[in-house]
């Protein structure tokens, strides 16, 4: 079980080649997990609106986040 979100999870995305899973919720929290170790990384980003989409870059170094309000980060 991966724990960390305080709100409903609204988006998930696995790295293409790596072990990380990015997850976003309806309060704007973006968390990163390593499911192979059942652990969360220390990286946490909080946006001002619900996260609707997450997409890793082709080389898995960054993520693009789309919000329910139509913003892209």
């Amino acid at each position: 079980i991966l724990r960390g979100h305080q709100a409903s999870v609204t988006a998930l995305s696995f790295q293409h080649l790596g072990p990380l899973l990015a997850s976003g919720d309806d309060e704007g929290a973006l968390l990163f997990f390593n499911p192979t170790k059942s652990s969360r990384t220390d990286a946490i980003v909080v946006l001002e609106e619900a996260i609707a989409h997450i997409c890793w870059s082709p080389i898995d170094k960054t993520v693009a986040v789309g919000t329910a309000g139509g913003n892209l980060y």
Side-chain angles (χ1 to χ4, degrees), residues 7-51:
S8 297
V9 173
T10 54
L12 296 169
S13 183
F14 278 100
Q15 279 183 313
H16 300 99
L17 302 173
L20 295 182
L21 169 67
S23 61
D25 68 28
D26 63 6
E27 291 184 350
L30 177 65
L31 306 178
F32 297 89
F33 295 90
N34 184 337
T36 61
K37 296 181 180 180
S38 295
S39 64
R40 188 180 82 210
T41 69
D42 290 334
I44 300 173
V45 176
V46 180
L47 304 175
E48 295 183 12
E49 54 189 318
I51 295 173

